[in-house]
Amino acid sequence: MGRFRKLPLMPLCAAGFFVGIFMNFWWGQGSALLTPAHLCRVKEGLREAVDAKSVAGNWSMIALVGMERIRWVALLILAGTTYLAPFGCMGAAAWLGISLGTFLAGSLCQYGIKGIVLVTAALFPQWLLYGPAFWFLINWCAELYGAIYHKSPFRKREGLVKLAFILLLILAGIVMESTWNPGILMETLVKF
């Protein structure tokens, strides 16, 4: 077998970012997710979530967000063990770029420069952990694929430590998204 080549993940992510911006302009300015009416509904939902500061409420929010995030993590890890890994990794990298490009362009079109504040509030602080964690996970899956199907060097213990670190980052991001982010987003939407 020939030597396994690294997947072009960074160029795909960057290309996805520009595709996301183009998609937003092609299909209209601002999606339904970013309309003022939808943001008012989000603000009311956040007010209820922030007001209900019970422990049970926090755990249910953590469980809800956790199920949503872990589903994609598990799917990517599973894909990393199959021949679909290159497509899964490249698709995930492109999707990260497309999502950010669409969200950023939609918020800028709808709210101008204030849209940057909205994007920051929606992604902070959990994406300080999610961003690196998902990027490391995509690369970890590509390494696993190379080791399984192309006999590239892969140390099992080191690979498990990397995976544990990635999952720890994602878990911390889930907790931040469930507990801190609703308050931050609520304060930002009150000022909109």
Side-chain angles (χ1 to χ4, degrees):
M1 280 244 149
R3 197 157 183 236
F4 175 64
R5 291 187 326 228
K6 295 282 266 172
L7 298 174
L9 299 177
M10 187 59 85
L12 280 170
C13 189
F17 178 76
F18 291 111
V19 167
I21 292 171
F22 176 75
M23 285 172 41
N24 187 69
F25 289 122
W26 182 262
W27 283 302
Q29 293 189 348
S31 64
L33 179 65
L34 298 171
T35 61
H38 183 72
L39 287 182
C40 285
R41 288 192 300 272
V42 168
K43 186 173 18 174
E44 291 306 315
L46 284 171
R47 183 171 287 131
E48 292 171 12
V50 170
D51 290 343
K53 292 211 178 220
S54 69
V55 174
N58 281 342
W59 283 111
S60 64
M61 180 72 117
I62 289 170
L64 180 70
V65 171
M67 291 302 293
E68 190 65 32
R69 302 294 175 249
I70 295 298
R71 180 181 344 161
W72 291 106
V73 169
L75 187 62
L76 192 56
I77 290 172
L78 181 64
T81 63
T82 68
Y83 273 112
L84 298 175
F87 301 110
C89 292
M90 291 187 303
W95 184 254
L96 278 174
I98 289 170
S99 299
L100 184 60
T102 302
F103 189 46
L104 184 61
S107 65
L108 283 171
C109 287
Q110 194 74 269
Y111 301 104
I113 296 300
K114 285 182 8 181
I116 294 173
V117 174
L118 178 64
V119 169
T120 304
L123 300 178
F124 185 79
Q126 68 270 17
W127 272 94
L128 293 175
L129 299 175
Y130 283 160
F134 284 125
W135 190 255
F136 293 152
L137 181 63
I138 291 168
N139 282 298
W140 183 86
C141 289
E143 286 177 23
L144 182 65
Y145 167 79
I148 293 172
Y149 295 104
H150 298 282
K151 306 299 184 224
S152 297
F154 185 83
R155 295 184 183 138
K156 290 180 186 177
R157 181 171 295 200
E158 185 180 312
L160 288 175
V161 169
K162 283 182 184 178
L163 181 61
F165 177 70
I166 291 166
L167 294 177
L168 185 64
L169 282 177
I170 292 171
L171 181 62
I174 289 168
V175 171
M176 285 181 172
E177 184 177 6
S178 304
T179 56
W180 295 355
N181 184 257
I184 294 169
L185 191 55
M186 176 67 185
E187 288 299 317
T188 304
L189 289 176
V190 165
K191 294 174 183 162
F192 252 67

